[in-house]
Amino acid sequence: MSELKAGTNLEKVFKAGHFAVTAELGPPKSADVEVINKKVQYLKGNVDAVNITDNQTAIVRMSSIAAGALVLQQGLEPVIQITCRDRNRIAIQSDVLGAYALGLKNILCLTGDHQKFGNHGTCKNVFDLDSIQLIQALKTMRDEKQFICGDEIKNSKKAPIVEPRILIGAAANPFADPFEFRVIRLAKKVNAGVDFIQTQCVYDMERFEEWMKQVRERGLHKQVKIMAGLTPLKAVGMAKYMRDNVAGLSVPDYYIDRLSGAEDAPAEGIKICVEQIKRLKEIEGVAGVHIMAIEWERRVPEIVEAAGLLPRP
Amino acid sequence: MITAVQKPFDEISEMVKGHDKLLILGCGSCVTVCMAGGEKEVGILASTLRLFNKQNNISMEIIEDTIERQCDREFFDAVKDKILRADAVLSMACGAGVQFCAEVFEGKRVLPALNTRFYGATEQQGIWSECCAGCGSCVLDKFGGICPIARCSKSLLNGPCGGSQEGKCEVDPENIDCGWQLIYDRMKSLGLLHKLEENEPINDWSTGRDGGPGKIIREDMVL
Ligand code: SF4
Ligand code: SF4
C-alpha cells in the first residue's frame, strides 16, 4: 500500500524527511541540445530534481516538456513548469497527459509572467485558468481521474482509466503585496491540493521568517512541503538590479555592502547563499531549498556541498 | 461608457485620400463624454483636415455633422441626405457606430476616425480607465464591486499574482493599479476579507467573447 502520489524521487525525499534540494534549468533559446546536456552535468547528483522553466519571462525557449524529457533521459529528475499564460485548459491537460507518458511526473503550476516582459510583447495571452485553478485541475486529473469537464480519463468506454499521477507543485511569493494576503493565497493553494511549494528567492530573511510564522500559525507547513527559493548573487550590479527592478524582491543593503566590499564578488555571493541555506534549515516548516542560479548552474555543486547537503539521498 | 481615442492624424489623412466629398460624422453619446468623437472633436478634425488639404493641394469638400447615436437606426434619418451625397463618411463613433452606419447605408464607404478602447469610467478629468470586459456573467458581487477580469492584467480570479507591488501592477507600475490590491482593500473595508479565502472555481468564459459574437434576443421586445 504505497502512499506515494506520484512516486517521484522528489516525493520520496520529502516523504523520508530529508531536507530537499532542487535547482533550475532554463531550456535554450534555440534547438541546441548541448546547452541542456551541459547544465545536466553540473546538476546531476547534486540536487533531487530540477525545474525546467516554461518560457520564463515570456521569452521563447525550447518547450519545458521536451527539455524535461531530454533531462530525464540523462538520469536527472525534472519538475516541469506550466504557466497559464500561453495555453488554455485543452492544451494544458493534453500536455499533462503527454508529460506523464514521457515519465515527467513533477509539475509546477504557475500563473506566468506577462508577455510584456518578453520578446513577443504584441501577442495575445490566455490565462484561461489561474495558478490555483491549475493546481485544482491537476488534482482532479490525478485523484478523481477526470478531466476538468468531468469526463473520465480513458480512451473509450471500455478502455481502462489511465490518469496522470503527478506530484503537484506551485510557487509562493512572500515578498509581494498585500503582505497579509500572501499566506492566505498559500492557504488557497493548499486547499486546491498542492503538494509542494517553492518560494520566490529569499534575500530579506526577516520578512521570510515573519511569513513562515504566519504559515505555521495556520498549520500550513504540515500540509505542504515548503522549499525556500534562493538565487546566489553574482555581482553588486545584479543585487542592485534585483532590488530595483524585480517586482516583489527586496535585497537588503547589508548584502549589497558585503558584495561591494569583497575582492571576489562571486565567491562572496556564494558564501552569502550558503549562509542563507544554513539559516533556512533551522526554520521550522522549511522542507528544502530551491536554488535558482540563473545561467550559473555550474556553481550549484559547490553551494550544495558547502551547505553540507551532499551526498543527496 | 465605451471609450475611444482619435487615430493619429496621418492615418486619417491617408485613409480619406481620394474622396472628393467627405462627411465627418460625430456621435453624441459615449465618445462625446470621453471627448473623442463628439460635435467639438468633429469641428477640430474638420479644420485640421481642411488645412492639411490646402497645404497639400488636395481638393476635398468636407461636411460636418453629429447625431445623437450611431448605434441606433432612428438617429440617422436626420443626416440621411448628407450621407447619400457624400463619397465617404468618416465616422467619429465607436467601432459599433462605424459598423452600424455602414450597415444602414449599404454601399457607402464608412471609415473609422477613432480607435475604440474599452468599457470604462472617468477617473478624473482627462483620465479614463477600463472597468468591465463584458464577460457576460458578472461577478462583481463577490469582489466588493471591483472587476478582477477587467482590472487585473491577467484576469485572475484567485489573485493577486506575485507581481503586485505597492498597489501597482507589474505590467505597468507607473499607470496601472493592481486590481487585486484594490479588491483586497475594498473587501477589507467591507469586513469581507474571509470571502477571498474561498477558491474561485474554473471559469466559464463562454458567456463572453469566447462564445462567439454576442447577441441578445429579447422575445418580449421583438416585433
Ligand atoms: S465581471 Fe464581467 S460583466 Fe462584471 S464588470 Fe467584470 S467583465 Fe464586466
Ligand atoms: S500585479 Fe495585480 S493586476 Fe497585475 S497581474 Fe498581478 S494581480 Fe493582476
Side-chain angles (χ1 to χ4, degrees):
Chain A
M1 47 151 270
S2 161
E3 286 170 39
L4 292 174
K5 292 168 178 168
T8 63
N9 183 50
L10 185 61
E11 186 179 14
K12 287 175 190 158
V13 169
F14 285 139
K15 190 102 194 157
H18 298 298
F19 192 76
V21 182
T22 52
E24 200 145 292
L25 188 155
K29 290 186 268 187
S30 69
D32 187 356
V33 177
E34 262 317 295
V35 175
I36 299 172
N37 295 348
K38 223 187 215 147
K39 291 180 177 178
V40 168
Q41 273 162 30
Y42 298 133
L43 299 171
K44 195 174 162 182
N46 294 306
V47 297
D48 304 317
V50 63
N51 282 31
I52 315 295
T53 52
D54 178 11
N55 298 298
Q56 83 261 32
T57 63
I59 288 172
V60 179
R61 288 170 182 271
M62 188 187 288
S63 127
S64 60
I65 292 174
L70 293 168
V71 167
L72 184 67
Q73 275 170 19
Q74 304 199 39
L76 179 59
E77 181 172 286
V79 176
I80 304 301
Q81 296 194 348
I82 293 187
T83 75
C84 299
R85 180 192 56 229
D86 308 323
R87 282 165 287 182
N88 68 11
R89 65 191 78 175
I90 299 173
I92 288 178
Q93 292 179 102
S94 158
D95 276 351
V96 168
L97 295 181
Y100 181 75
L102 289 167
L104 316 173
K105 301 177 186 172
N106 302 306
I107 292 183
L108 192 89
C109 306
L110 299 170
T111 303
D113 297 314
H114 194 270
Q115 71 270 22
K116 180 193 154 177
F117 297 102
N119 59 0
H120 288 78
T122 57
C123 75
K124 218 172 163 186
N125 60 38
V126 182
F127 299 116
D128 175 23
L129 310 176
D130 62 32
S131 58
I132 290 174
Q133 294 163 343
L134 177 54
I135 294 168
Q136 185 204 319
L138 292 193
K139 187 170 157 62
T140 305
M141 289 177 84
R142 182 188 69 198
D143 296 348
E144 313 298 326
K145 306 176 190 348
Q146 283 175 2
F147 291 109
I148 294 173
C149 64
D151 289 353
E152 284 187 311
I153 304 182
K154 56 183 185 181
N155 193 40
S156 66
K157 243 187 182 157
K158 285 186 185 147
I161 291 176
V162 184
E163 80 284 10
R165 305 222 45 90
I166 298 293
L167 190 72
I168 307 167
N173 187 349
F175 309 104
D177 288 327
F179 182 56
E180 318 84 77
F181 198 70
R182 288 293 133 189
V183 77
I184 298 177
R185 195 143 189 270
L186 175 66
K188 292 180 76 164
K189 291 187 177 182
V190 171
N191 287 340
V194 75
D195 300 307
F196 70 99
I197 291 284
Q198 293 168 332
T199 75
Q200 169 68 290
C201 44
V202 179
Y203 295 108
D204 184 343
M205 295 293 266
E206 280 72 42
R207 184 151 166 177
F208 181 72
E209 286 190 12
E210 171 57 31
W211 181 75
M212 278 306 298
K213 203 175 115 212
Q214 296 176 12
V215 168
R216 288 192 300 273
E217 278 163 11
R218 286 180 173 249
L220 296 172
H221 62 306
K222 299 207 170 118
Q223 300 171 58
V224 65
K225 298 293 179 190
I226 297 171
M227 307 181 75
L230 289 168
T231 292
L233 296 164
K234 275 192 233 186
V236 192
M238 173 186 177
K240 287 188 179 155
Y241 179 84
M242 304 270 273
R243 181 190 61 191
D244 302 335
N245 296 302
V246 182
L249 256 192
S250 50
V251 183
D253 285 340
Y254 53 84
Y255 286 150
I256 294 180
D257 293 343
R258 269 180 71 176
L259 285 167
S260 48
E263 250 171 54
D264 183 348
E268 190 66 20
I270 286 186
K271 215 170 130 200
I272 292 173
C273 185
V274 171
E275 287 168 18
Q276 283 188 295
I277 296 178
K278 289 184 174 164
R279 189 161 158 194
L280 288 163
K281 271 174 87 176
E282 301 306 316
I283 302 174
E284 190 193 345
V286 175
V289 283
H290 175 57
I291 305 167
M292 295 167 270
I294 308 157
E295 295 305 321
W296 217 26
E297 290 85 355
R298 67 189 166 85
R299 302 297 287 265
V300 170
E302 63 185 285
I303 295 173
V304 182
E305 162 111 71
L309 295 170
L310 287 182
R312 298 308 310 151
Chain B
M1 85 189 99
I2 294 176
T3 62
V5 292
Q6 206 178 100
K7 281 181 175 290
F9 182 76
D10 289 352
E11 194 183 332
I12 294 176
S13 60
E14 188 59 33
M15 199 191 293
V16 299
K17 221 165 67 182
H19 295 295
D20 298 332
K21 198 166 179 177
L22 184 74
L23 170 64
I24 303 184
L25 188 62
C27 178
S29 297
C30 306
V31 292
T32 294
V33 182
C34 69
M35 299 183 211
E39 196 174 351
K40 195 168 136 226
E41 290 77 26
V42 168
I44 296 168
L45 180 59
S47 313
T48 317
L49 200 55
R50 280 190 197 107
L51 193 67
F52 172 86
N53 286 345
K54 201 169 163 197
Q55 284 166 348
N56 292 281
N57 293 322
I58 299 169
S59 86
M60 181 190 291
E61 187 190 342
I62 296 173
I63 312 151
E64 305 164 40
D65 215 327
T66 298
I67 57 174
E68 179 131 6
R69 275 207 295 281
Q70 291 189 30
C71 53
D72 256 323
R73 204 172 286 267
E74 61 187 274
F75 297 106
F76 282 105
D77 287 345
V79 286
K80 194 174 163 198
D81 289 343
K82 284 182 182 164
I83 291 178
L84 291 177
R85 271 187 275 122
D87 294 329
V89 178
L90 179 61
S91 166
M92 294 194 79
C94 72
V98 176
Q99 292 182 56
F100 199 64
C101 180
E103 200 174 308
V104 175
F105 297 93
E106 222 191 297
K108 184 66 59 186
R109 281 280 281 168
V110 183
L111 308 165
L114 305 185
N115 287 327
T116 303
R117 296 294 309 278
F118 48 77
Y119 308 145
T122 313
E123 208 175 287
Q124 63 177 73
Q125 167 118 9
I127 300 180
W128 294 269
S129 51
E130 185 165 7
C131 299
C132 171
C135 77
S137 179
C138 196
V139 292
L140 283 173
D141 54 315
K142 296 193 207 171
F143 299 98
I146 295 165
C147 175
I149 296 169
R151 298 177 75 176
C152 164
S153 299
K154 299 172 187 168
S155 295
L156 305 178
L157 290 167
N158 294 286
C161 77
S164 177
Q165 203 71 37
E166 286 163 11
K168 296 295 180 183
C169 172
E170 60 172 10
V171 171
D172 182 0
E174 300 271 301
N175 297 306
I176 308 178
D177 290 329
C178 169
W180 267 94
Q181 177 75 53
L182 298 174
I183 292 171
Y184 174 83
D185 293 341
R186 176 75 57 80
M187 291 298 267
K188 197 171 172 180
S189 73
L190 291 171
L192 292 172
L193 214 47
H194 58 280
K195 288 261 173 208
L196 290 185
E197 298 209 14
E198 290 161 23
N199 281 0
E200 212 39 61
I202 291 170
N203 198 39
D204 174 358
W205 300 105
S206 70
T207 52
R209 255 305 301 169
D210 298 283
K215 192 155 206 155
I216 299 170
I217 301 171
R218 283 274 305 266
E219 297 292 359
D220 56 332
M221 307 275 297
V222 178
L223 297 175

